[in-house]
Amino acid sequence: MSVSAKTEATEGSINELRNFFTTTIRFSELGVKILEGEPEVWKGDWLSLVRGCVFIIVGTIEGSELLDRLAAYKIAEEMEKRKISSLVMTDRYWWEVVDKHGYGNSPIITVGGPIANSLSDRVAQKLGLGKDSTAIGFREIDGQLIGYAWGWLAKDTLYAVKIFISSYLDRFIEEAIKHKPEIKDREILERIERLEGEIKKISTVGDLRRLEAKYKKEDFVKILESFRIVLEMDRMSAENAPTEEFLDKLSLLKNYTEGFSDKLARQVDEFLRFMRVEQFEYLDDAYKKKVKKFCKKLVDLWISEFLRDER
């Protein structure tokens, strides 16, 4: 929950932004559900499906469409990875339907500054910020959970969104689930099933569902997500993968494993330090063996920590 009147978003290069915000727009799980349910879905309570989303709001001017919408889709992509549905829409349409469609209790993230985005302008007023401010974080405003990421210049906003994704998104999702439990209730079992399916394709660790008896469903999802990330990194260690991808996954892994295993947390920190110190852009042959060793250690440690009673 951070607010800053001084931008953190001026360092780095255009190439860094280009690399981070290069994204692929895919069918979302919500989109697939609607397509599978056509035409009956439109005759029923389709709005109940949409109300379970996190709404990501951008402005309607040219700069918003060109850059802020791209940033919003990057947030949506990251949320989809975490099996949370989201929907990007303009501020103008948001104000038109928020009451009519009953979206007033849904969590939202507003992208783009107060000059370009009227929702950001409202948030800035609530936070006592000027129109040239930079704001990154989330908080409850008038009973609604609102995330925000913007800066004075378009580049500042892109860096603000990058920071929001790396430092705030997971905590925002946790709060969103508290504010709107149906986000969790409807998705949680599907998420577990999908994760198990993904893990079974690349691992033979046994029946992971037995772990569910030891952990709450929300914690069980975090544990499965952590193992999926560990396995993905193990696969990446054999490829010429960008270092940035490892750093992103390690940061995410750290969030998912926090509070579950001190040994695993220490190993993740050690891996992070190694990747940051070396500062190579891509894995080359000289470093693949070292990275592979770290990944194998994480796989073995995860199995030891979470499946030691199941083996």
Side-chain angles (χ1 to χ4, degrees):
M1 302 179 192
S2 171
V3 177
S4 173
K6 185 177 180 181
T7 181
E8 298 177 59
T10 55
E11 298 179 358
S13 66
I14 300 301
N15 282 335
E16 181 185 351
L17 292 174
R18 182 186 290 119
N19 291 337
F20 184 79
F21 285 101
T22 295
T23 183
T24 301
I25 299 177
R26 301 181 177 88
F27 272 124
S28 65
E29 291 298 321
L30 175 62
V32 170
K33 283 180 185 177
I34 288 176
L35 288 177
E36 290 175 343
E38 283 189 323
E40 289 76 12
V41 67
W42 302 116
K43 300 173 186 175
D45 186 19
W46 61 271
L47 283 172
S48 66
L49 294 175
V50 181
R51 289 188 197 107
C53 288
V54 172
F55 292 90
I56 307 172
I57 311 301
V58 299
T60 55
I61 65 175
E62 289 85 348
S64 300
E65 291 291 350
L66 186 63
L67 297 165
D68 296 347
R69 183 175 288 273
L70 174 67
Y73 283 136
K74 181 64 177 178
I75 296 173
E77 179 185 57
E78 292 298 320
M79 297 193 80
E80 193 75 13
K81 289 177 184 176
R82 295 155 173 81
K83 309 304 182 213
I84 299 293
S85 295
S86 61
L87 183 62
V88 177
M89 66 171 60
T90 65
D91 57 341
R92 186 174 299 174
Y93 187 67
W94 169 258
W95 295 123
E96 182 180 327
V97 299
V98 58
D99 294 327
K100 182 169 66 174
H101 290 175
Y103 297 156
N105 293 323
S106 298
I108 53 179
I109 300 170
T110 184
V111 175
I115 294 174
N117 183 332
S118 60
L119 180 58
S120 295
D121 188 39
R122 175 178 174 270
V123 171
Q125 290 178 36
K126 292 285 185 179
L127 299 178
L129 298 175
K131 292 185 183 296
D132 61 347
S133 62
T134 289
I136 310 166
F138 62 89
R139 66 176 57 188
E140 184 178 321
I141 298 176
D142 296 336
Q144 187 169 32
L145 182 67
I146 302 180
Y148 40 85
W150 72 70
W152 170 232
L153 300 175
K155 184 167 71 171
D156 297 333
T157 291
L158 292 175
Y159 274 104
V161 169
K162 189 173 185 289
I163 292 168
F164 181 86
I165 289 171
S166 63
S167 301
Y168 294 93
L169 184 58
D170 286 315
R171 284 181 288 156
F172 173 84
I173 289 172
E174 289 177 6
E175 290 299 317
I177 288 171
K178 293 177 188 175
H179 277 71
K180 198 167 180 64
E182 54 265 42
I183 291 176
K184 173 191 67 177
D185 295 341
R186 195 184 62 216
E187 301 286 346
I188 195 81
L189 294 177
E190 292 179 7
R191 190 173 178 186
I192 288 172
E193 188 175 339
R194 287 193 203 98
L195 283 168
E196 286 185 317
E198 291 175 24
I199 290 170
K200 284 177 182 176
K201 290 177 184 176
I202 49 180
S203 174
T204 56
V205 293
D207 184 9
L208 293 167
R209 284 300 278 269
R210 284 184 290 174
L211 283 173
E212 195 170 355
K214 297 168 61 177
Y215 299 98
K216 295 187 298 183
K217 282 188 172 61
E218 298 92 331
D219 291 340
F220 182 42
V221 166
K222 289 181 181 180
I223 290 167
L224 290 184
E225 286 281 15
S226 71
F227 193 44
R228 180 180 62 80
I229 292 168
V230 167
L231 294 174
E232 282 182 1
M233 288 195 299
D234 189 45
R235 173 188 57 77
M236 287 164 53
S237 67
E239 304 169 356
N240 293 323
T243 299
E244 186 71 26
E245 286 189 25
F246 277 96
L247 291 173
D248 287 345
K249 289 186 184 300
L250 283 166
S251 296
L252 191 57
L253 180 61
K254 186 172 182 177
N255 288 334
Y256 280 132
T257 55
E258 188 175 3
F260 291 114
S261 166
D262 291 339
K263 290 181 181 177
L264 198 57
R266 285 195 296 271
Q267 184 62 27
V268 171
D269 285 337
E270 186 180 340
F271 198 171
L272 269 169
R273 283 195 298 273
F274 169 76
M275 298 298 283
R276 286 168 177 161
V277 167
E278 295 300 333
Q279 293 186 338
F280 44 85
E281 188 174 354
Y282 287 88
L283 292 189
D284 57 20
D285 292 338
Y287 287 104
K288 279 182 183 176
K289 288 184 179 179
K290 293 181 180 179
V291 172
K292 182 71 176 177
K293 186 176 179 181
F294 270 111
C295 292
K296 186 179 185 309
K297 216 169 183 181
L298 280 175
V299 172
D300 292 342
L301 189 54
W302 190 97
I303 292 173
S304 171
E305 288 293 282
F306 295 112
L307 297 179
R308 56 180 174 264
D309 296 329
E310 314 294 330
R311 300 171 77 179

